[in-house]
Amino acid sequence: MEILPAERLESLLEFIDDKGTVNIIDLTNKFNVSKPTILRDLKELEKQNLIIRIHGGAKSKKLKGTRFEPRHVIKEQEAIQEKEEIAELAFKHIQPGETVLLDSGTTTLLLAKKLASHCTENITAITNDIKNAMVLSENDLIDIVVIGGQKRKGVYSLNGPFAEDMLRQLNVDKVFLGTDAINADKGLTNSNIDETNIKKTMIDIANEIILLADDRKFNQVAFSSVAGIDALDRIITNKPLSDTEMKDYKKAGISIDTPKAKN
């Protein structure tokens, strides 16, 4: 049954509010209509002051500011299945004898849980996250190095000059990095400057930089710049990217892993 224009507008608005930022290709595929039809719909939603039109797509007016960051306890309840899928793929990239660095975050926490449950060979795991360290300590085959620093309120990360100085003394095989937002033009961005600085240091000391990001993080921009996308070697996410996004990341030499496809 054909969707009536008013019903499509309602569904379109709900989809944009859910995703935060969307592009035209995603919308034409999602609603199975032509590009001119989507453009007319977006124009109508903008006229009603319900969305913000941007180049190549639209942005929800319900988006939080670039400084907004939920508390850790809230993040742990969001996109659980998606993060589990990402952690499962990330675990497959850890080889016996490697030294791996786990950034602070709820997705890396799930990776730490998989390491604690399934690691059967000696590895060295480094983290600046108190929760990650507690979970990893359950497996005696994992040598743990905890990066000391100042704990941020509402989260479990340890940051600051002491943490950064300690990291600079190390060399690691792989870093599993988190981010608040990723955008092909703006790169990796974060809502907190202290975490931005330590993420930059993590990138500097790792031979391979692997970003763990669920699909809600894409086409978003947060307050503080971490690095351009060309700093990444691999992105592990929970669903395939659009053709436009894939082209941008492939051009930067980044491998993309998803549960449905591994490139």
Side-chain angles (χ1 to χ4, degrees), residues 72 75-76 78-88 90-91 102 105-118 132 135 212:
H72 192 283
K75 289 183 178 181
E76 282 193 81
E78 297 176 336
I80 297 173
Q81 181 178 343
E82 291 86 347
K83 293 174 184 178
E84 285 276 7
E85 292 174 343
I86 293 168
E88 182 69 33
F91 177 73
L102 272 60
T106 53
T107 307
T108 53
L109 176 60
L110 291 173
L111 176 56
K113 290 179 179 180
K114 290 196 177 294
L115 277 168
S117 299
H118 303 297
N132 286 354
V135 168
L212 309 184

Side-chain angles (χ1 to χ4, degrees), residues 135-187:
V135 168
L136 291 166
S137 66
E138 297 172 6
N139 189 327
D140 289 337
L141 290 173
I142 303 173
D143 293 325
I144 305 166
V145 177
V146 182
I147 301 301
Q150 184 174 11
K151 179 187 174 297
R152 288 184 54 218
K153 293 179 180 179
V155 295
Y156 294 89
S157 61
L158 302 171
N159 303 287
F162 292 116
E164 293 162 32
D165 288 344
M166 186 173 179
L167 275 175
R168 290 190 186 100
Q169 298 177 51
L170 305 175
N171 296 290
V172 302
D173 294 305
K174 294 167 182 170
V175 58
F176 293 92
L177 199 68
T179 190
D180 287 336
I182 179 169
N183 178 285
D185 295 323
K186 296 290 186 179

Side-chain angles (χ1 to χ4, degrees), residues 1 6 18 29 35-36 39 46 50 54 74 118 129-131 135-136 144-145 150-151 154 156 173 209 217 220 226 248:
M1 184 176 66
D18 179 60
N29 291 337
K35 181 177 178 180
L39 290 173
E46 182 183 43
L50 296 173
I54 59 176
I74 301 299
H118 303 297
D129 186 287
I130 297 171
K131 267 201 169 184
V135 168
L136 291 166
I144 305 166
V145 177
Q150 184 174 11
K151 179 187 174 297
Y156 294 89
D173 294 305
I209 295 90
K217 306 290 182 67
Q220 305 293 328
V226 177
D248 289 334

Side-chain angles (χ1 to χ4, degrees), residues 61-76:
K61 297 202 74 171
K62 293 184 178 181
L63 280 176
K64 304 292 185 179
T66 58
R67 291 298 300 272
F68 175 75
E69 180 184 20
R71 294 175 66 87
H72 192 283
V73 68
I74 301 299
K75 289 183 178 181
E76 282 193 81

